[in-house]
Amino acid sequence: MKTVRFYLKRLALAAVMLMAASVAVAQNKLSGTVVDENGDPLPGAAVLVKGTTDGTVTGVDGAFTLNVPKGATITVSFIGYLDQDIVPGNRSVLAIALEPDNKLLDEVVVIGYGTVKRKDLTGSVAAVRGEDLEVKRTTALSSALQGALSGVMVTRDNSAPGSGAGSIRVRGVTTIGTSDPLIIVDGVQVSSLDYVNTADVESISVLKDAAAASIYGSKAAAGVILVTTKRGSTSDMSINYTGEFGMEIPTAEPDMVGLTRYLEMYNELLYNDNPTAGFFQQYTADQVKNWVKYNQTDPDHYPITDWRALMMNDYAPRQTHQVSVSGGNQSVRTKVSLSYDDVSALYDGRRFQRYMLRTNNDFTIIKDKLNATLDINVRRGKNRTTNYDPFADMRKTPAIYAATWHDGRIAEGKSGANPYGLLLTSGTNTSWSTQIGGKGSIEFKPIKDLSIQGIVSPFINYTKRKTFRLATYYTVMDDPEVFGGWLEGGGTVYSANNLSEQRNDNYNVTTQVLVNYHHKFAEKHDLSAMAGFENYVAKSENLSASREFYELTQYPYLNVGPEDYQFNSGDGSEYTSNSFFGRVMYDFAGKYLLQANVRHDGSSRFAKGYRWGTFPSVSAGWVVSEESFMHSTKSWLSFLKLRASWGMLGNERIGSNYYPYLALMTFNDALFYKGTDVSSEKTAAQRGLAVEDISWETTTSLDLGFDATFLANRLKVNFDWYSKKTSDMLLDIEIPYMMGYTKPKTNAGDMSTKGWDLELGWNDRIGDFTYSVSANLSDFVSIIDNVNGADIISGSTIQREGEFYNAYYGYLVDKENPIYQTQEQVDNSARLNNTVTVGDVHYQDISGPDGVPDGVISSEYDRVVLGNRLPRYQYGGNIRMGWKGFDASIVFQGIGKKLAYMSTYMVQPLRDNYGNIPAILDDNYWSAFNTDEQNRTARYPRLSKTSISNNYAFSDFWMFEGGYFRLKNVTLGYTLPEKLTSVVGIKKLRVYASASDLFSISQFPKGWDPEMGSTSYPITTSLLLGASIKF
Amino acid sequence: MKNTVYTLLAAAAILGSCVPMDIAPKSQGSSASWYTTETELKMAVNEFYILGYWNYLESSERWTDNNTYRNINYNTPILDGTVTGETWDCYHIWEQCYKLISRTNSLLDNISRAENAGMNQEKVDRFKAEACFARACKYGDLIFLFGDVPYIDHYQTIEEAEQNGRVDKATILQKVYDDFDFAAQHLPASYAGSEAVHFTKGAAYAMKARYALYMGDWQTAAAAAAECMKLGYTLENDYSTIFLQGTKMISEKIFVIPRSISASVVLDEWYVKNSLPRNAGGYAAYTPSWDLLAAYLCTDGLPIDESPLFDSQNPFANRDPRCTKTIVEFGTAHMGYIFDPSPNATKTTKLADLTQVSNQDSRAVNQYASFNGLLLKKGIDESWLENFPKNEKDYVLMRYADVLLMYAEAKIELGEIDASVLNAINTVRARAYGVKVGDTAYYPAVTGTDQATLRKAVRIERRMELAYEQLRYADLIRWRLAAKVLNLSNYINLDPAACKSEVVDKGYWFWGMTPSIDEDGVADFSALFAAGLCQKGAQRVFPDRQYLMPIPTHDIELSGGNLKNNEGY
C-alpha cells in the first residue's frame, strides 16, 4: 500500500511538471514540403512533434508549417511509407522525401518447413497475426480463429469453460471421413490448436492449396494450420503483465410455456391421441384452473419451479493473468511466458483452470555457422465439472415438479428426475490434462548458402480423470425420515457411490532432418532448395479402473472402495510414419516465381504393399506489376501478382483405427453357469470387416488466384478460386446389417469441392487517426461424385452421387397443405401409418417399390435429398481504429446462407412423455380448438405422442434459413502517454474493455442462438476489463 | 549447451534412418489364423453366449396386453401402430440376429483349420453343434418376426450380401431344423459341476419345438418337445422362486444366460426402476394390466365372469395361485411395505419398524404411483434393493413348463389329444397349486378331449404360467390375436379424487363390476368405463401389417431392389 501511495505522488508530480514544461518551452516556426520517392508531393502526410499530439497535415502541394519547440524531433508519416524522424535543429525549412514502406510485401509468411516473403508466395496461404486473435480474448486459440481467415470455417456449439472450437475446416470438406486440418506448431505436428496460448502466437498461416500444403503430403488434404510462436529478440529485457477480469452471460436460453398452458397442452395431447378417454386425462379441470392458486398454500403438491433461476447463476466470472519476459543479446535470445486462466461456469461446481508455460530460446554458438534453439512448453489444465450436466434436463423439466419441498429438502422432481438436486449433490468429475512439449534443433551452415538442420521434438500428453459419482436421493414430501427414491438423470440412477479413474498416456516424437540451399546468382536468379526427412512415432495407452458401492464419500481413492465390485480395463495403440520431401523455389528478378514440392510418405496404418504414397505439386507466380509495361499504373496499382497451382495431397487419418487392413478378433466376455456359480470367460470374434488393400485417399487441387495492392498499398485484395477432387475416399461404407459386421473402412468414392476465397483490406490514416478495415468472404460447394454405386444413408444424411456432401435426406412436405387441415385430405393421401390424421404433417408420396407412388409413405421410397447441410458464404472481418492513445476494434463474423433444422429439442412438446413445452409452440400449433383460419396459418403440427414418428420425422417441414451475423468482439483500449508512465518506469500501460459475442442476427426461433447445441452449454457473451503493463 | 546441441544432432541423424512400420495390434488377435487351437475355438464359441445376442425381446412384454404403462403407450411405435423399417425395436432384432449368425458362420467356415491340425472329430462336432444351435435360434426368430428373410450360412463379400433376396421361410425353417438336429445329436444333455454350462441337447429340442410351434408345424413341435421331455427335466416346486434373482441353476431352466453384477452384466436398469413400487424407490410404471389380472382363472378353474368365487371388490381372492405370485395382492407385504394403492390409503406400514409412513404407492399421495393400481410381483424380492438398480436376474430363454405347454398345444392342434396332453397341462397347473398332478382334488385339473376347449385351456394356461417371460408377444402374433387385443384400450383407475368419491367411498373398490371374458380369454372393461368407474389410459393400435415386422430400411436401401418390404410398409 505504501509503495502505491509513493508512486501516486510521483505520478502527480510528474504530471504537474509536464504541464509546466509545455507552457514554458520556446517555439520555432518550421515549414517544408513532403514528397514521395519519385519527388512527387504527398498531400495528407502527418507532421507531428514527437511524443506529443501537436502537429499538422500537408496540403495538396505537400507543404506544411508547424510551430516546433526548440530541440524537439518531428515525425513525418504517411500511410504506405516509412515514418521519418527529423531533428530540425536550427533549420526552418525542410525538404522531406519519404521512402515507401514495403513491409506488407516484405512480410514473411510461414510455409511448410520454411518461410517466404509474402510477395514471393505462389501457393494460397492465409495468414493472421497473433494480435488479431488475441483481441478476441477467448480462452481457446481455436475459437479465436472463427471468422479470422478466408476459407477457414470454425464451428462451435457451446461456450463451456475451457472449451475450444467444435471443428475447423479449411476450404470446406474434402472427404466423408476426417476433414480436420493438420496442425503444426513451430514445425511440429500437434493434436490440438488449444495446446497453444493465444498470447504466445506470433502468427498463424493456413496452407490452403496443394502447392502450399503438399510438403505435408499424406496428412495435408484437409489443409494445414501453421502456428508460429513468439521468440525473443536482441533487445533489452522487458517484462509484460496482462490481467483481466470478466464475466460470461448466456446469449440465449429457450423459454417454455407457462405452467397453466403446460397443464392444458398436456391434456390436449392426450385427448388428441385418445379422445374417447376424455379431455382431462392427466390433469383435472380443478388442477388446471387452480394450480397457481393452490401453489400459494400447498407448494409441495402444486409446485411451480423455475428450474433455470434455481440452477443457473446470472453470470460466470473469469480471469486471466499473463506474464512474459523477453530479450537477449547476440548469443542468447529468450522469451518466456506464463499464463493462468480461471473460468467458472454458469452453475456452481464447474470450473476450468489452466496454466501454460512456454519458453523459446535461440542460441548463436558460432556466428553464421552454428545456431540452436531449445523450446519447452507445458500446459496443465484442470476441468472440474459436476457429474451431472444440467442443461438438457434444465430445459426439459416442467415447472410442475418440485425441486425442493417447502422445508428446503431435496424433492422428488419428476419421479426422481430432479436436475436441481442432481446438480447439487451427485458428485464431481475432474480431469487433469498435462502436455509437455519440447523441441530442440541445431542448424549448421558448413558453407555459405547451405544449412543442415536437425530437429527432435518429443511431446508427452497425459490425461487423468476421476469421476466420483455420489448416491443422491430424496425424502418423501411429508416425512423427512422416509427415503423416497434415488435421483436419476441422463439415464443414470445415482443410487450408489462409485469411483472411476481413467488414465491416458500417450506420447509422440517427431524427428526431422532438413537441408536448405539458397543461392542468388547473376543478380536476377534466386534459387532455393530444401530436402528433408521426417519420422513420426506415436504410442498411446489407456487404463481405467473403478470400484462401486463406496461407503465413504470423502476419500476419492480406489483403495477405499469395496473389493467385491472392482473393474478395470486397458488397451493401447501405436503408429509410425516416415516421410521424405523436397522443394525447389526459383525466382527470376522478382517477376517470375516457380515452386515445386514433392513428398513421399509411408504409414504403418496400411499393409505393406499399400503403404507408400507420393504427393507432388507445382505452382507459379507472375508479378505483373514488376513488368516495365506496368510502370504507368504504379500510381494506383502498387502490386499485382497472378498465381496458379496444381498438386496432390493425401489423407490417411481414419480416427483411432490403426489396423484397418487386418481382420481382428475382438475379445470380450460372456457368462456361464458352473454348477450354480456364474463365471466369466473370454470370448473372441471378428466383429468388423477388414479391407486389406486400404490405402491413401488423394485430393487433387487446382488453385488460381491473385494478390494485389492499390493506392500505395492501402488497399489489399487477395482472391483465389479453387477446385479440389478427392478420390479413393477413406470412409465407413454402409454394408447390410445382415452381414453381421460393423462397417469397414475402405477407399470408396470420389467427391469434389469448388469454391473461392476473397480477402479485402484497407488501412489509412487521417491525421493522427489511424484505421483499418479488413474483411473476408468465402464459399464452397462439395459434391459427391461417386460412392461405389450405393448411397450411404445414415439417419437424415445421405451421400449420393451428384448431390451435396452430407446432404439432408428426408420426406418432402406437401406444399399446399403442409399440415393436414381436413379429414378429406387425410383420406386422400398416402400416409406413414393409419394414426396420422388432421393436424399432422402431410408428406408427398414420391415413389414405391415399383418406381411409382404406391399410396404409402415409407422410409425406403419417399425420402429425397433436401439440400445442402453445409453453410454458404461465410464471412468475417474487423475494423480497427487508433487515435492518440485510444484504440478500438470491432470484429464480426457470420454465415450468409445455411439450411438449418429445427431439432426436436426446439419444437417437440412433452419429450419422453413429460418434457416441457417450448414457448414458441403456443398459439402457433394446429389444434382442434382453433378456428380453421388459425389452423391454416399454424406453423407447428398438433400435439400428439402417437404421431411423433410422423410429425418429427426428418423432412423439409422443419427447415429454415439459418444464416446469421454475429458481432464477435468490440474492444476499447487506452494507452497512457509514455511520458506519464515512464516516470515510474513503465514502458507501456494500456487499459481495455472487451465484449465478445455481444449479439447476433438470425432467423432462429426465439431463445436459440444460431450456434448453440440443443442440449449443450449455452453460447455466452463475455464482458472483460483488463490492463496490460510493460516494464 | 554445446553438448546438448551435438547430442540432438546425433539423435536426429540416427533416427533419420527409416523407423520400421510393421506394427502388430496391441490388444487384439488376427482372424487369419484363428479357429485352429482348442482355446481359440472355445473363445469363439463363448462369443455365442453374450447376452446382447439373446435378450432383444426382453421388453416385448410391454408390447402386449399384459402390461400397462401409466396412461400412455410404452415408448415404442409398436403399440402406437406406427412401426417402420427405421424403428429401433425392429432393426435391432434384425441386427443382433444376423450378428450372431455371422459369428457362427465364421466358425463353421473356418473350423476345418482345427480339423486339419488334427483336432478330434468329437470336439469339432461339439463346437459345430454350438454354432448350429445359435444359428438355428436366430433364424427361428427372424422367420417368425419378419417372414421371408435372406438366408446366409457362409461368409459373403459385400457385393454378394447386397444381392441377397428374401428366401421362403419354409425353406429356412427346414435349415433351422437341420441345425437343431445336428446340435441335438452332438450336444451333451448336461454338464459336470466343474464345467461351464453351454447349450444342451435339451435346449436344442426345446428351441426346435418353439420355432416349429411358432411356424405352425405341429408335428415337428410335438416331436421335439417329446424328445426334450424324455431328458428328465423337472419343475421347481415353488412357482414363485423360479424367477428370483437369487435362484440360480435349477432343473427347470433349460436354456438360460446368466447375469452377474460383479461382471457388469445386469438387468436393464429401467426394468428394475419401473417395476419396483414407489415406496421402495421405484417408479411403479411397468405394471401388469387389468387385462392380465382378469385373465387368471378362479380356483374352480373357471374364468372370473363365470366363477361364483370371483369377487370384484376382492379380485385376488380365490384366484389361480399364479395370480398373486405375478401381481402384488393388495394388503400384502411387498418390498418392505404393505402394498395398498387405494386413494384412501395415504399411509402404509413400513415393515422394518412397523411405522406408518406416507404411502407413495397411492396416487392420492404420489401422482405417478401405479395408474391402474397394480404392481408386478413375479421375480421381484427385496434383494432387488441391495445393489439397486443393478440386478443379476437370469435371462431365461426356455424353461421346462414352457416345453410341457408347447407339447400340449402342438398335440391339441394335431388333434392327437390323449392323456399325455392333459398330463402336460396339469403338471404345470398342479405345480402352481403346490400339489402333485394326481391330486386333482386340490387343484382344478384340465379335463376333456374337445380340441376347441383344450386349445382355449392351453392358451390361458400359457398366459397365466408365462406372463412377463417375453412370450406373450409371440403368442399374440401366432394366435392372430394381436389385431384384436392390441386395438383395445388400456384401462386405469380414475384420478385419485374421483376414484375416492366414485369408487372407493361407494364401496366399489377395486372393480365396480366383474368384466366379461370372451372366448379368447380377453377381458372387456367397457361396462366399467361406461359406468364411470374407471378411465381409459392409452389406446393401443395394431394395424394388420404389424403381424410381420418391416425389413430394416437400411438393408432395403442397400439391396438395389433385391429386398422388398412386407405388405403394408
Side-chain angles (χ1 to χ4, degrees), chain B residues 75 79 147 175 183 253 292 324 357 366 374 386 439 445 463 505 560:
Chain B
N75 275 333
L79 281 177
K175 305 214 180 243
K253 294 180 182 177
L292 182 63
T324 56
V357 296
N366 189 311
L374 304 184
E386 278 164 22
D439 299 339
R463 192 171 190 189
D505 292 351

Side-chain angles (χ1 to χ4, degrees), chain A residues 270 274 276-277 280-284 363 365 370 372 401 412 414-415 440-442 454-456 476 478 482-486 488 491 493 495 511 513 533 535 548-549 564-565 567 571-572 574-578 602-604 608 611-612 659 661-676 678 681-687 689 733-741 791 793 809 832-833 835 849 856 858-861 863 913 945-946 949, chain B residues 1-2 5-6 8-9 12 15-16 18-31 34 42-44 46-47 49-50 53 70-73 75 80-82 86 91 94-95 98-99 102-103 150 152 155-158 161-162 164 193-198 248-249 258-265 270 273 278 281 283 357-358 360 366-368 387-390 394 495 529 536-539 545 551 553-558 563-565 569:
Chain A
L270 291 180
N274 192 9
T276 61
F280 296 100
Q281 293 181 40
Q282 183 78 8
Y283 300 102
T284 62
F363 309 98
I365 295 140
L370 193 58
Y401 299 106
E412 181 181 355
K414 158 71 169 74
S415 301
S441 77
I442 61 171
I455 297 161
V456 177
V476 298
D478 48 7
V482 177
F483 170 85
W486 303 107
E488 58 105 337
V493 180
S495 61
T511 311
V513 179
F533 166 78
N535 166 258
E548 303 195 340
F549 307 112
D564 286 348
Y565 299 101
F567 306 93
D571 58 19
E574 213 176 315
Y575 168 81
T576 292
S577 68
N578 288 304
S603 162
S604 65
K608 225 169 194 153
R611 184 167 283 162
W612 289 91
Y659 316 100
Y661 62 94
L662 283 178
L664 295 175
M665 298 300 285
T666 307
F667 301 128
N668 229 296
D669 306 280
L671 296 174
F672 297 89
Y673 270 114
K674 271 187 183 165
T676 55
V678 175
E681 296 196 4
K682 273 285 167 229
T683 77
Q686 183 190 337
R687 295 189 166 190
L689 276 184
I733 53 163
E734 292 293 331
I735 58 169
Y737 292 150
M738 68 176 102
M739 288 192 78
Y741 294 102
D791 296 345
I793 299 169
Y809 184 65
L832 201 58
N833 56 63
T835 313
V856 181
S858 61
S859 48
E860 294 88 3
Y861 306 110
R863 293 189 297 168
N913 303 320
K945 171 183 169 284
T946 54
S949 58
Chain B
M1 198 64 240
K2 246 181 194 174
V5 168
Y6 287 128
L8 282 173
L9 194 64
L15 286 166
C18 242
V19 175
M21 287 183 284
D22 291 311
I23 298 174
K26 294 287 158 207
S27 43
Q28 286 166 302
S30 167
S31 65
W34 207 267
K42 193 168 150 263
M43 286 175 73
N46 284 348
E47 173 85 8
Y49 295 79
I50 291 175
Y53 297 126
R70 298 190 173 146
N71 56 347
I72 50 175
N73 281 328
N75 275 333
D80 286 335
T82 59
E86 293 185 298
Y91 71 74
W94 177 278
E95 271 189 292
Y98 277 113
K99 273 184 193 166
S102 87
R103 311 287 182 265
I152 302 167
Y155 173 79
Q156 289 186 323
T157 63
I158 299 171
E162 289 175 349
N164 288 324
S194 58
E195 280 182 297
V197 176
H198 283 219
K248 297 304 177 187
M249 209 48 175
R259 290 188 172 96
S260 158
I261 293 174
S262 63
S264 286
V265 177
W270 292 106
K273 290 180 288 184
R278 292 207 155 234
Y283 301 156
V357 296
S358 80
Q360 301 296 318
N366 189 311
Q367 62 165 336
Y368 285 100
N387 294 314
F388 179 86
K390 297 194 174 183
D394 280 346
D495 287 330
F529 178 70
K536 285 184 179 176
Q539 173 68 41
R545 70 179 190 186
I551 307 288
T553 304
H554 180 267
D555 282 11
I556 293 187
E557 282 167 347
L558 289 171
L563 288 180
K564 296 255 194 299
N565 217 331
Y569 290 103

Side-chain angles (χ1 to χ4, degrees), chain A residues 116-291:
Chain A
V116 65
K117 284 181 180 168
R118 180 169 276 287
K119 70 179 169 61
D120 296 337
L121 265 182
T122 49
S124 178
V125 180
V128 60
R129 288 171 303 169
E131 59 198 80
D132 285 335
L133 300 174
E134 210 182 337
V135 72
K136 294 187 186 168
R137 325 262 28 130
T138 59
T139 350
L141 177 56
S142 57
S143 323
L145 270 186
Q146 196 175 34
L149 292 158
S150 73
V152 179
M153 173 167 78
V154 176
T155 52
R156 56 171 183 173
D157 73 351
N158 70 81
S159 302
S163 68
S167 77
I168 303 175
R169 296 284 174 266
V170 175
R171 286 191 166 172
V173 283
T174 45
T175 174
I176 292 173
T178 308
S179 281
D180 294 326
L182 175 69
I183 293 161
I184 305 279
V185 176
D186 292 330
V188 176
Q189 180 181 348
V190 300
S191 54
S192 170
L193 210 49
D194 294 332
Y195 293 156
V196 183
N197 183 358
T198 313
D200 287 336
V201 174
E202 175 71 35
S203 72
I204 290 186
S205 294
V206 178
L207 311 183
K208 299 197 286 192
D209 71 345
S214 73
I215 197 72
Y216 290 105
S218 68
K219 299 171 181 180
V224 183
I225 297 181
L226 301 177
V227 180
T228 308
T229 60
K230 290 173 184 163
R231 310 197 71 84
S233 60
T234 50
S235 63
D236 293 341
M237 295 301 286
S238 69
I239 181 162
N240 199 343
Y241 163 80
T242 303
E244 59 191 38
F245 293 85
M247 53 190 186
E248 306 274 337
I249 305 161
T251 56
E253 264 294 331
D255 284 324
M256 299 294 154
V257 296
L259 180 122
T260 305
R261 279 303 283 148
Y262 176 81
L263 304 177
E264 287 169 355
M265 289 168 80
Y266 199 140
N267 279 341
E268 182 178 339
L269 178 136
L270 291 180
Y271 171 78
N272 284 344
D273 285 346
N274 192 9
T276 61
F279 191 75
F280 296 100
Q281 293 181 40
Q282 183 78 8
Y283 300 102
T284 62
D286 178 53
Q287 283 177 320
V288 173
K289 185 161 170 263
N290 295 315
W291 192 290

Side-chain angles (χ1 to χ4, degrees), chain B residues 99-398:
Chain B
K99 273 184 193 166
L100 184 49
I101 288 167
S102 87
R103 311 287 182 265
T104 60
N105 287 343
S106 191
L107 181 131
L108 294 168
D109 280 344
N110 295 307
I111 199 165
S112 56
R113 289 178 197 160
E115 286 176 294
N116 297 339
M119 184 179 288
N120 85 40
Q121 196 58 40
E122 198 184 328
K123 276 183 183 161
V124 169
D125 287 343
R126 257 279 297 281
F127 289 127
K128 279 186 175 174
E130 289 184 66
C132 288
F133 175 89
R135 183 167 71 182
C137 288
K138 296 303 108 179
Y139 276 117
D141 275 344
L142 283 169
I143 56 174
F144 174 67
L145 294 167
F146 295 92
D148 301 344
V149 297
Y151 186 78
I152 302 167
D153 59 358
H154 284 288
Y155 173 79
Q156 289 186 323
T157 63
I158 299 171
E159 291 71 28
E160 285 165 355
E162 289 175 349
Q163 297 301 314
N164 288 324
R166 298 177 66 170
V167 176
D168 185 355
K169 59 190 174 189
T171 310
I172 298 176
L173 183 61
Q174 196 51 53
K175 305 214 180 243
V176 167
Y177 292 160
D178 294 346
D179 275 348
F180 276 131
D181 291 344
F182 185 86
Q185 188 187 341
H186 295 284
L187 288 174
S190 64
Y191 293 86
S194 58
E195 280 182 297
V197 176
H198 283 219
F199 306 134
T200 57
K201 194 184 287 293
Y205 285 129
M207 293 304 281
K208 183 184 177 190
R210 170 173 293 169
Y211 294 114
L213 190 76
Y214 280 10
M215 302 309 290
D217 179 357
W218 317 120
Q219 198 73 56
T220 307
E227 287 295 333
C228 182
M229 286 155 66
K230 287 182 198 156
L231 293 170
Y233 291 102
T234 55
L235 295 183
E236 182 74 359
N237 286 330
D238 182 355
Y239 176 78
S240 57
T241 60
I242 306 168
F243 318 100
L244 296 177
Q245 182 177 205
T247 304
K248 297 304 177 187
M249 209 48 175
I250 51 173
S251 172
E252 184 167 348
K253 294 180 182 177
I254 294 176
F255 176 22
V256 48
I257 306 278
R259 290 188 172 96
S260 158
I261 293 174
S262 63
S264 286
V265 177
V266 294
L267 181 60
D268 176 28
E269 292 185 358
W270 292 106
Y271 184 88
V272 177
K273 290 180 288 184
N274 280 308
S275 302
L276 292 184
R278 292 207 155 234
N279 281 328
Y283 301 156
Y286 296 170
T287 58
S289 61
W290 282 13
D291 310 73
L292 182 63
L293 176 60
Y296 287 92
L297 302 176
C298 287
T299 47
D300 54 9
L302 294 172
I304 57 172
D305 62 342
E306 291 173 27
S307 170
L309 298 175
F310 184 71
D311 173 5
S312 62
Q313 271 79 61
N314 193 4
F316 293 95
N318 303 322
R319 305 295 297 279
D320 184 289
R322 287 166 291 196
C323 179
T324 56
K325 288 174 177 175
T326 304
I327 306 171
V328 185
E329 184 178 359
F330 303 163
T332 63
H334 182 55
M335 301 298 289
Y337 296 83
I338 299 296
F339 176 65
D340 187 350
S342 162
N344 277 353
T346 55
K347 295 272 179 192
T348 192
T349 307
K350 183 183 183 188
L351 295 164
D353 50 11
L354 294 176
T355 50
Q356 288 292 303
V357 296
S358 80
N359 182 12
Q360 301 296 318
D361 283 306
S362 165
R363 287 201 71 211
V365 174
N366 189 311
Q367 62 165 336
Y368 285 100
S370 173
F371 277 62
N372 67 357
L374 304 184
L375 269 187
L376 182 63
K377 171 107 177 168
K378 194 170 176 179
I380 298 174
D381 64 4
E382 287 181 42
S383 74
W384 284 43
L385 294 177
E386 278 164 22
N387 294 314
F388 179 86
K390 297 194 174 183
N391 190 303
E392 55 186 23
K393 184 177 178 310
D394 280 346
Y395 187 68
V396 181
L397 282 121
M398 180 63 72

Side-chain angles (χ1 to χ4, degrees), chain A residues 765-788:
Chain A
R765 170 180 348 222
I766 305 166
D768 46 12
F769 176 72
T770 58
Y771 70 98
S772 69
V773 181
S774 70
N776 63 72
L777 173 66
S778 55
D779 186 37
F780 68 88
V781 172
S782 296
I783 302 286
I784 299 291
D785 297 327
N786 167 26
V787 272
N788 273 12

